[in-house]
Amino acid sequence: MPRLAASTVTPTMQLLKSRGFATSSVRQSLEKLRQKNRNDVVITFAKRTALTRAKKGGFRDTTSDTLLHSFLSTAMPLTGVRASAVQDIIAGVCHTPSPAYEVRAAALAAGFPDTTPVEAVNRLCSSGLMAVRHVSDSIARGELEVGLAVGYESMSNHPRPTPVFGSEAIRNHAASVDCAKPMGWTSEMLALDYGISRETQDAYGLVSHNRASAAQKSGKFKSEIIPIATSVLVDPKDPTNSAQEELTVHEDDGIRHGLTMDKMRAAKPAFKDYGESRSTGPNSSQVTDGAAMLLMMPRWKAEELGLDVLAKHVATSVVGCKPRVMGVGPVYAIPKVLERAGITKDDVDLIELNEAFGSMYAYCVETLGLDNEKVNVNGGAM
């Protein structure tokens, strides 16, 4: 589960001073963030499934509705809150067809009453974060007391669709055409436009995998993962063999253990037809199946229910960028959200930053001047 995302990092002290923030106001902002107020929007439960490789991992034969239903059914009894107390469920999901129907059906079958509404939101990579923001905003306005923010995806069953534009005006607009390009293409364009070498991407990818490997081996992920029972085809290559094997998926299966720089250098390009082919499997994110959820409410409600508070949600910022280099979004979103919080990047102890590709991760970390020892300390998407 991401610890701190684009909702939690801050701009530089210089930027704050240029916009009228003094050092004393930064200190005041930090103290304000640390205060515990009865109307704070807080998180009382944060869990996820294991994240598995699409087409190859433990959820490869699990449909998206089955994945969501199984997760909700297994996770909700652990929250300390009855399903009937949840007043809204908002799910972030990118590629599932008719997702609102699927979320509603899964919720009902998982034991939520028909009085609990649902919504599906899609802002691509940040869809789950948008679910968190929507729930938080509703709680802050007094429209909800208890809300569930969910993110889920089955890229085994629903890989990224390639949009086909019927509008001639769109087809003749360069940036519009770029919107439909594959993510691997945007990674290669970013590497070209900003001079991110293959060696740099490999270096960041190696750090990501080694951190994730160490975290998994030491058991750091166990407390955040809810094991999910499912089944896989015994022989997926034989279409005539329907035999299935039951299993419980309890561990991420995409982490590459024992990676070295020599192995990074030896990896083959993942997108041979784009740019200079600097993106590879080890320095790019995998396609993934999995789900995650947060239970959110005002602090007074958590105290009333006797629930532990894990964190509070403070702010979110959303900023667009050129589709050609869509991965640089955090460069624009992070300063805005931290300016809103009134603190600097140096005030943040832990940062979770979307990795996606070594090209965009390198550009974001280096352009923002982030201390990489504070970023994705247990690895990330690569």
Side-chain angles (χ1 to χ4, degrees), residues 1 14 50 64 96 98 106 114 123 133 144 158 193 216 224 236 238 242 246 252 261 293 296 312 352 359 370-371 379:
M1 179 69 63
Q14 250 185 345
S64 54
T96 298
S98 302
D114 55 17
R123 203 190 286 271
R133 185 180 77 164
L144 293 179
H158 307 299
D193 290 358
Q216 187 178 65
E224 64 189 45
D238 182 359
S242 60
E246 302 298 318
D252 304 326
M261 185 52 77
M293 64 179 268
M296 305 174 70
K312 69 175 180 178
E352 284 291 326
S359 57
L370 302 179
D371 179 356

Side-chain angles (χ1 to χ4, degrees), residues 164-174 176-177:
V164 178
F165 299 126
S167 166
E168 185 176 352
I170 290 177
R171 294 197 301 269
N172 292 331
H173 190 281
S176 295
V177 172

Side-chain angles (χ1 to χ4, degrees), residues 1-6 8 43 46-48 51 128-129 132 224 292-294 311 350-354 376 379:
M1 179 69 63
R3 273 70 66 183
L4 294 175
T8 47
I43 298 165
K47 298 289 184 180
R48 66 179 178 89
L51 302 178
L129 289 176
V132 173
E224 64 189 45
M293 64 179 268
L294 301 180
L350 181 65
I351 301 166
E352 284 291 326
L353 177 68
N354 179 28
N376 297 4

Side-chain angles (χ1 to χ4, degrees), residues 108-125:
L108 290 171
F112 291 89
D114 55 17
T115 52
T116 304
V118 307
E119 178 186 0
V121 295
N122 180 0
R123 203 190 286 271
L124 299 178
C125 300

Side-chain angles (χ1 to χ4, degrees), residues 332-352:
Y332 305 104
I334 284 173
K336 279 192 172 292
V337 75
L338 301 183
E339 181 181 5
R340 182 168 296 148
I343 58 178
T344 78
K345 71 177 190 294
D346 298 324
D347 297 316
V348 180
D349 298 317
L350 181 65
I351 301 166
E352 284 291 326

Side-chain angles (χ1 to χ4, degrees), residues 43-259:
I43 298 165
T44 63
F45 183 85
K47 298 289 184 180
R48 66 179 178 89
T49 69
L51 302 178
T52 68
R53 295 179 296 165
K55 303 293 186 182
K56 299 178 181 179
F59 292 131
R60 65 180 182 268
D61 297 317
T62 305
T63 62
S64 54
D65 60 299
T66 300
L67 175 62
L68 180 60
H69 169 259
S70 298
F71 182 50
L72 292 175
S73 299
T74 308
M76 198 60 206
L78 306 177
T79 65
V81 173
R82 299 188 311 274
S84 59
V86 175
Q87 296 167 310
D88 203 1
I89 300 172
I90 302 181
V93 56
C94 294
H95 303 320
T96 298
S98 302
Y101 294 97
E102 185 167 273
V103 177
R104 175 68 162 163
L108 290 171
F112 291 89
D114 55 17
T115 52
T116 304
V118 307
E119 178 186 0
V121 295
N122 180 0
R123 203 190 286 271
L124 299 178
C125 300
S126 58
S127 297
L129 289 176
M130 290 304 98
V132 173
R133 185 180 77 164
H134 288 359
V135 172
S136 179
D137 287 351
S138 295
I139 292 172
R141 288 195 298 269
E143 298 169 358
L144 293 179
E145 287 184 5
V146 180
L148 197 62
V150 180
Y152 77 105
E153 207 76 56
S154 173
M155 297 187 77
S156 289
N157 292 280
H158 307 299
R160 176 192 181 272
T162 300
V164 178
F165 299 126
S167 166
E168 185 176 352
I170 290 177
R171 294 197 301 269
N172 292 331
H173 190 281
S176 295
V177 172
D178 289 347
C179 291
K181 297 288 188 181
M183 288 181 64
W185 178 86
T186 67
S187 173
E188 294 295 345
M189 296 306 102
L190 195 159
L192 286 176
D193 290 358
Y194 298 113
I196 311 298
S197 68
R198 161 75 185 267
E199 183 177 12
T200 296
Q201 294 184 64
D202 284 347
Y204 280 111
L206 180 62
V207 170
S208 180
H209 281 283
N210 286 348
R211 285 177 175 176
S213 176
Q216 187 178 65
K217 289 179 178 179
S218 67
K220 286 185 178 180
F221 297 142
K222 286 185 178 180
S223 64
E224 64 189 45
I225 295 176
I226 293 180
I228 299 294
T230 188
S231 58
V232 295
L233 293 173
V234 174
D235 187 0
K237 295 182 179 180
D238 182 359
T240 65
N241 187 354
S242 60
Q244 294 187 333
E245 176 186 1
E246 302 298 318
L247 75 158
T248 298
V249 181
H250 65 278
E251 189 173 70
D252 304 326
D253 63 18
I255 300 170
R256 301 176 189 237
H257 301 285
L259 268 186

